[in-house]
């Protein structure tokens, strides 16, 4: 870890030559593209899993031009569709012989339901990454030592798990106002931390480790689906207090690359550092197990 001016940086010198990295979604903008750029510069084969092919191809050309690494590839994926997740996993396993690093970076704030009947935020931010991780787990194990990095948010502290709402409505909460939708986002980010915690327990004895993290308040497109008035309100705050994409990518890169943190699998990071004062609800054994089992049921795995 290294501080340059006011920017805390992942200063790992680890190369990634010969490694395959799967980065999803949002790898065509913001911290997703910045992370992909860094990993490509280190020599990794980087696969950008995105919904928008046109935007992804523009980002790929920029990354190739900037890094000289020709091994930057687009694969179609829509996390709002469990069928799309399954098709993606099938295609990936047929085309790629290894997977060294899986970075789950889903973080939408958008209402509505998916074609599967789940809340949009629940599906994109949690169920899709959950299902994909499990479908690719054997490949991760075969490629070990490998890592799973789940990008959460400090918003998880405001989240809670309402299993009654989940089972009854297949959603993290009720209501469609922006503030209600934002609460669902916080709930989904708690899901990310709980999923990482439970995954680490189930991976014990394997050569796969996993980490969750808060990237910081980032100037990204996460508010692109917000109302006009909310966007008007948030923009000045974003300009004054939010990090840029380079700063926001640092903790993701730390968890992806830093040697010697394998014993911290399942833990939560911020500012390129382990967070030891995490709220008990984010490391509750019964809650993480129940969320895992319900997620398996929703995804048709149990």
């Amino acid at each position: 870890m290294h501080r340059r001016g006011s920017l805390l940086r992942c200063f790992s010198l680890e190369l990634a030559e010969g490694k395959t990295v799967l980065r999803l979604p949002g790898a065509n903008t913001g911290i997703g593209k910045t992370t992909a750029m860094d990993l490509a510069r280190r020599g990794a084969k980087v696969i950008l899993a995105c919904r928008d092919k046109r935007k992804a191809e523009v980002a790929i050309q920029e990354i190739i031009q900037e890094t000289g690494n020709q091994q930057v590839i687009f694969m179609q994926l829509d996390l709002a569709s469990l069928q799309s997740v399954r098709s993606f996993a099938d295609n990936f396993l047929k085309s790629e012989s290894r997977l060294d690093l899986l970075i789950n970076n889903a973080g939408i704030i958008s209402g509505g339901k998916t074609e599967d009947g789940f809340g949009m935020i629940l599906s994109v931010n949690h169920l899709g990454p959950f299902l994909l991780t499990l479908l690719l787990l054997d490949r991760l194990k075969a490629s070990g030592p490998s890592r799973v990095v789940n990008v959460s948010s400090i918003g998880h502290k405001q989240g809670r798990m309402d299993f009654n709402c989940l089972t009854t409505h297949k959603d993290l909460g009720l209501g469609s106002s922006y503030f209600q939708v934002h609460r669902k986002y916080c709930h989904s980010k708690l899901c990310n931390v709980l999923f990482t915690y439970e995954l680490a327990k189930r991976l014990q004895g394997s050569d796969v480790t996993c980490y969750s993290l808060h990237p910081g308040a980032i100037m990204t497109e996460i508010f692109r689906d917000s109302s006009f008035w909310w966007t008007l309100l948030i923009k000045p705050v974003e300009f004054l207090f939010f990090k840029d994409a380079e700063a926001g990518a640092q903790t993701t890169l730390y968890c992806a690359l830093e040697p010697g943190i394998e014993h911290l699998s399942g833990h939560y990071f911020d500012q390129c550092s382990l967070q030891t004062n995490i709220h008990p609800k984010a490391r509750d054994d019964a809650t993480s197990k129940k969320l895992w089992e319900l997620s398996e049921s929703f995804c048709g795995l149990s």
Side-chain angles (χ1 to χ4, degrees), residues 24-220:
L24 67 130
N28 54 316
T29 60
I31 62 174
K33 186 170 75 172
T34 303
T35 306
M37 184 87 72
D38 187 287
L39 293 167
R41 191 175 285 116
R42 294 171 187 266
K45 180 178 184 179
V46 181
I47 298 171
L48 307 187
C50 310
R51 186 179 57 178
D52 192 320
K53 182 178 181 180
R54 183 186 60 82
K55 288 183 178 179
E57 289 179 341
V58 170
I60 286 171
Q61 289 307 309
E62 183 179 340
I63 293 169
I64 290 174
Q65 186 174 6
E66 180 75 21
T67 66
N69 185 343
Q70 298 291 323
Q71 294 191 99
V72 185
I73 301 167
F74 163 77
M75 291 183 70
Q76 189 94 41
L77 173 64
D78 181 3
L79 288 172
S81 164
L82 296 183
Q83 180 54 49
S84 175
V85 174
R86 291 183 181 277
S87 296
F88 175 92
D90 287 342
N91 292 333
F92 181 92
L93 293 172
K94 288 174 184 175
S95 64
E96 302 299 328
S97 61
R98 63 181 303 112
L99 177 58
D100 301 275
L101 174 61
L102 171 60
I103 302 176
N104 292 314
N105 184 49
I108 68 162
I109 302 180
S110 179
K113 291 277 189 176
T114 69
E115 62 186 32
D116 302 302
F118 298 109
M120 184 65 69
I121 290 175
L122 170 64
S123 183
V124 174
N125 293 6
H126 172 62
L127 287 180
F130 173 87
L131 175 60
L132 186 62
T133 302
L134 267 60
L135 293 176
L136 299 181
L137 208 49
D138 285 343
R139 188 58 47 88
L140 282 160
K141 290 177 179 178
S143 306
S146 54
R147 295 184 181 185
V148 178
V149 177
N150 293 321
V151 180
S152 180
S153 163
I154 198 171
H156 82 272
K157 294 182 177 181
Q158 299 173 343
R160 66 184 181 89
M161 299 309 307
D162 184 343
F163 288 108
N164 181 58
C165 185
L166 276 168
T167 53
T168 304
H169 302 283
K170 293 186 176 181
D171 207 344
L172 290 162
L174 301 179
S176 58
S177 72
Y178 181 78
F179 292 101
Q180 290 167 323
V181 171
H182 185 266
R183 285 300 304 274
K184 294 180 190 180
Y185 168 81
C186 293
H187 302 333
S188 75
K189 295 291 101 180
L190 177 58
C191 288
N192 297 157
V193 180
L194 286 166
F195 168 44
T196 307
Y197 177 61
E198 184 68 20
L199 179 62
K201 290 189 290 182
R202 294 171 185 251
L203 287 173
Q204 286 180 2
S206 76
D207 219 3
V208 185
T209 53
C210 56
Y211 314 90
S212 63
L213 64 98
H214 171 53
I218 311 299
M219 291 184 286
T220 69

Side-chain angles (χ1 to χ4, degrees), residues 245-262:
E246 183 184 2
Q250 298 310 307
T251 305
T252 300
L253 290 168
Y254 179 88
C255 291
L257 298 167
E258 187 69 15
I261 63 169
E262 289 79 9

Side-chain angles (χ1 to χ4, degrees), residues 237-256:
V237 178
E238 188 179 71
F239 176 77
L240 290 172
F241 300 109
F242 283 31
K243 300 178 181 178
D244 62 17
E246 183 184 2
Q250 298 310 307
T251 305
T252 300
L253 290 168
Y254 179 88
C255 291

